[in-house]
Amino acid sequence: MDSTPIDRIIPINIEDEMRNAYIDYSMSVIVARALPDVRDGLKPVHRRVLYGMYELGLNHHKAYKKSARIVGEVLGKYHPHGDGSVYDAMVRMAQSWSLRYPLVEGQGNFGSVDGDAPAAMRYTEARLVKVSEELIKELNKNTVDFQLNFDGSLQEPIVLPAKLPNLLLNGSSGIAVGMATNMAPHNLGETLDAIIAYIDNNEITISELMAYMVAPDFPTGGIIYGYSGVKEAFETGRGRIVLRGKATIEVTASGKEQIIVTEIPYQVNKASMIERTAHLINDKKIDGIADIRDESDKDGMRIVYDLKRDAVANVVLNNLYKQTQLQSSFSVNNVALVGGRPKVLHLKELITHFVNHRHEVLVRKTSFDLEQAKKRIHLLEGYLIALDNLDKVITLIRGSKDPEVAKESLVTAFLLSEVQAKAILEMRLQRLTGLERAKVIEEHAQVKKLIDYLLEILGDKTLRMQLIKEELMELKERYADTRRTVVEYNSDEFTMEDMIPDTEVVIMISNQGYIKRTPLAEYRVQGRGGVGAKGVSTKKDDFTEHLFIATAHQYLLIFTAYGKIYWIKVYTIPETKKATQGKAIQNLINISPGDQVRSIIQVRDLKNVDYVDNHYVIMCTKQGIIKKTPLRAYAMPRSNGIHAIIIREGDCLLDVQLTTGSNHIVLALESGRAIQFNEQDVRPMGRVSSGVRGITLAHEKDRVIGMACFPTPDWDLLVVSEHGYGKRSSLDDYRITKRGGKGVKTIYITEKTGNLVAINAVKDQDELMITNQSGVTIRIEVGKLPVIGRATQGVRLIRLGSDDKIASVAKIDVLDQMAEEEGDEALTSKVLKAGDGFFEKTDNQSQLNKINMLVPEEKEEELAYNDEEEVVDETDLEEEGFSVYDEEE
């Protein structure tokens, strides 16, 4: 009977105990068994096998040792989980059809691609290969941390220094608890090229890296059929890659056709594939095959399908692809341990973690070498002191009764350290010759030079990255080989989008919901104050409300007044001339009855993980509510739309912009006030939320008219009133406050200017497209607008009719400027940035006159610059809290 005292029994809820125990077990499986470390690409058992072989001295040029000896070493010292787990791991590392770059060189029967089991460990032998030695080198230079083994008697490395990106080269597979990993192998030369490209440019995109790393490269060769799965795997860390065996059609001497398969998909059992194919033939599910033979030998794989005389070879081959393992799929799931935690990683993250690991290893290795060099130069300095005072040293040593006294005497007499004194006592007599003295002096100079170089490395990250780059180039020269797996694009991947040029277009949406796209080239540049050109024919009481620049392949994220979001590709919008009305937007998206389009943003690629993870959507409402949500929340397009923001009663969504998370936000009111605050003041929220207060309205009838986002403070704020007046002011004129304030005056509202209708963040190189309610559009250069303070009404931007008003203001961002002289017919081109794309325009006046010239040149020039700045009364300004100053000053 149990005699445990009742007061020592602690009652525990069995559900909690089971939960905690299972969590502990699952974490042990995840970290200590099933998932590889992102740095060296190895699981603990593989790392221990390689380290055990390294300690046994089984380098590539040494003799083989029995596998049982290796398994015993690893099992007894580092991995007490059974000899089967250790031997199976070592066998797989030696199989050329399992690893793209085997890490172990086996001698004997290590299995076959037919699924044959390897011989028992007592019959086989193994040693390391050159590639695996590159993973282990530098272990003796304190490059990585060590930990105690299972019984605390020995030390083992937590991770290997890994000069090569083993995780990318050989991939990995494993099933943990609640998660699994399945990573594809890649070509060494391509992988190192991509890493070098990343070192040269840390901002490189995944699509740019894919120019170096085309696709996975499987050890069994074969064909990657279709590229969409590869692209998705590189960009997201998950994807499905379709693999096909490499087959050719040959004709025998007797005239019969044969299908010859020389390569099969990765991880397909050849014998099993042939057996299952034979069953399908016998069951009449595959017709046209008379016989199957496996003619594979030591020279390579060869599977022969003899065809019947009436069979069509291509039809039979396609049937084999469809019904047998001659076509299979590899589901990529890039899960690896990062800092001890499992994480799904895309291509750039895998490269980044490897480079960071190599950088840390280099720093630790250099620090170790520096410490050793300092110790050596310390000894050499002691030797030089002894050689310079040789007679005194000999006399002192001869007069000492024992070595300890001699050491103390040397320390006292020549101010040496105990280490130096001990080294002097241990010097051989031959070191006292003149030649040996010269060698000491030469070595001292070399070590001093080495110390200076090591200090330079530790003090210069650019130099360290250059050393890593040179190391990778050397490894590529030594180990790179040709690609084995061929990439074949299938016809399903060529969509209508591939046939449409990614050009820049103007998107217009009217107040009543008509949308169209027009080539940007149809809009010429005019001077400030021009009358504009006819932009769109609209129905009575309708006008252009939204106008912006996009590229044909971009996504448009359309936000409505009710707070919903819809997705549409730009090229799916009907293209028309600029004077036509367009198409009702209800024909393109399932917008709710009574709802209205309020704002549109364009994004590059919703599948680009880097892009969606580093951008935010900022929304504001007419009542001054602002909300910030990660772009990832809107990265899954749905035909019926989803809620982007919860709109409060009496409010509606007004404006939406894309930011990077660190912008300056300016909100402006119809009454002419504006507030500036940091984007960090607005915390990120989920889709199903309403937001927080951004600005307080001046009065009950006031409303927010726009929002401007500034990536840096050196931009200007452009404001436009409803009667066509506008100006730009330095952002420095607006003090930064907390969100929710009342703001300061941004334009002095009068009957002449009308209420404020638009704001925008601009620079000198930008251009504006201004559209009024009657459909007239003008395109002007921001650089021709003077920078004036908040104390002005601004200048006339467009001349309006008596009943006309400004409807929308869009900005074109100028990226660069290039000029080329060609005789008297000189043309100046500007490369302009619109959204995320580019377009070209010409400043040549003769050509501009040919492009939709609706206004005579002389009249346009007359109207362009006949307005000056208008400053309001200083007394009124001072009452409003302005500090008045001379604009010219």
Side-chain angles (χ1 to χ4, degrees), residues 83-290:
D83 56 358
S85 64
V86 177
Y87 187 52
D88 289 347
M90 190 182 77
V91 164
R92 187 175 185 276
M93 287 193 290
Q95 292 175 340
S96 60
W97 60 92
S98 294
L99 267 65
R100 180 63 177 82
Y101 298 94
L103 302 178
V104 172
E105 184 179 356
Q107 185 168 265
N109 176 16
F110 275 79
S112 72
V113 73
D114 289 326
D116 298 322
M121 68 181 79
R122 62 182 178 273
Y123 298 119
T124 61
E125 298 177 333
R127 64 184 179 188
L128 296 173
V129 298
K130 284 185 178 181
V131 170
S132 57
E133 290 177 15
E134 300 294 350
L135 303 179
I136 306 174
K137 280 180 181 177
E138 305 170 339
L139 261 181
N140 59 347
K141 292 195 172 185
N142 192 33
T143 50
V144 295
D145 292 330
F146 280 68
Q147 64 184 4
L148 292 173
N149 68 339
F150 62 89
D151 63 1
S153 61
L154 295 169
Q155 294 273 334
E156 63 173 323
I158 295 175
V159 67
L160 298 184
K163 282 188 175 183
L164 288 168
N166 180 60
L167 191 58
L168 281 167
L169 299 183
N170 282 321
S172 183
S173 63
I175 300 174
V177 178
M179 64 184 66
T181 184
N182 200 35
M183 306 182 70
H186 298 82
N187 182 269
L188 186 146
E190 293 179 2
T191 303
L192 297 190
D193 283 340
I195 296 173
I196 290 169
Y198 168 79
I199 292 173
D200 289 336
N201 174 21
N202 289 167
E203 303 302 320
I204 192 170
T205 63
I206 294 177
S207 59
E208 290 170 337
L209 286 170
M210 288 166 63
Y212 301 93
M213 288 183 70
V214 180
D217 189 22
F218 296 97
T220 54
I223 298 169
I224 293 176
Y225 185 64
Y227 199 67
S228 58
V230 174
K231 187 173 185 293
E232 186 177 2
F234 279 159
E235 291 178 345
T236 68
R238 290 192 173 101
R240 180 176 173 272
I241 300 173
V242 177
L243 297 174
R244 283 183 166 183
K246 188 174 291 185
T248 58
I249 299 171
E250 297 180 3
V251 180
T252 65
S254 61
K256 287 186 177 182
E257 287 187 313
Q258 294 178 325
I259 295 175
I260 309 297
V261 175
T262 54
E263 296 174 4
I264 61 175
Y266 183 51
Q267 294 179 336
V268 168
N269 185 311
K270 175 165 63 70
S272 176
M273 182 188 74
I274 294 172
E275 182 181 351
R276 292 178 184 177
T277 303
H279 286 311
L280 290 172
I281 295 170
N282 292 333
D283 295 340
K284 306 297 183 182
K285 292 182 179 179
I286 297 180
D287 294 326
I289 298 178

Side-chain angles (χ1 to χ4, degrees), residues 559-561 563 598 619-621 645 647 651-656:
F559 295 82
T560 68
R598 283 301 187 192
M619 292 165 271
C620 74
T621 72
I645 181 174
I647 299 296
D651 200 0
C652 67
L653 185 63
L654 174 70
D655 195 8
V656 182

Side-chain angles (χ1 to χ4, degrees), residues 555-569 585-586 588-603 606 634 636-644 653:
Y555 271 102
L556 294 187
L557 273 55
I558 301 176
F559 295 82
T560 68
Y562 291 174
K564 293 195 74 175
I565 176 178
Y566 300 85
W567 294 262
I568 190 173
K569 280 281 193 177
I585 198 168
Q586 287 85 353
L588 302 177
I589 60 175
N590 297 325
I591 190 170
S592 303
D595 205 357
Q596 274 187 318
V597 174
R598 283 301 187 192
S599 189
I600 302 99
I601 60 175
Q602 61 263 34
V603 297
L606 292 175
Y634 307 116
M636 296 295 290
R638 298 182 192 173
S639 58
N640 291 323
I642 60 174
H643 282 288
L653 185 63

Side-chain angles (χ1 to χ4, degrees), residues 524 825 844-854:
R524 62 186 175 83
E825 298 290 329
N844 183 274
Q845 193 61 46
S846 63
Q847 290 198 2
L848 286 177
N849 290 336
K850 299 175 184 177
I851 303 176
N852 304 305
M853 182 59 73
L854 302 181

Side-chain angles (χ1 to χ4, degrees), residues 493-565:
E493 293 180 328
F494 291 97
T495 62
M496 181 179 67
E497 183 173 316
D498 298 317
M499 308 301 175
I500 299 173
D502 196 18
T503 55
E504 287 67 33
V505 294
V506 177
I507 304 295
M508 285 188 176
I509 303 177
S510 73
N511 177 261
Q512 294 187 8
Y514 288 88
I515 186 172
K516 69 172 185 174
R517 63 183 169 103
T518 307
L520 185 64
E522 291 199 22
Y523 296 88
R524 62 186 175 83
V525 177
Q526 293 186 25
R528 173 179 64 84
V531 297
K534 190 67 176 176
V536 59
S537 297
T538 59
K539 297 169 62 178
K540 187 178 180 181
D541 299 329
D542 195 10
F543 58 90
T544 299
E545 186 169 7
H546 303 282
L547 180 148
F548 55 92
I549 313 300
T551 59
H553 289 186
Q554 286 180 330
Y555 271 102
L556 294 187
L557 273 55
I558 301 176
F559 295 82
T560 68
Y562 291 174
K564 293 195 74 175
I565 176 178

Side-chain angles (χ1 to χ4, degrees), residues 709-724:
C709 297
F710 297 80
T712 55
D714 58 340
W715 289 59
D716 295 331
L717 177 66
L718 173 86
V719 296
V720 181
S721 70
E722 63 181 344
H723 291 165

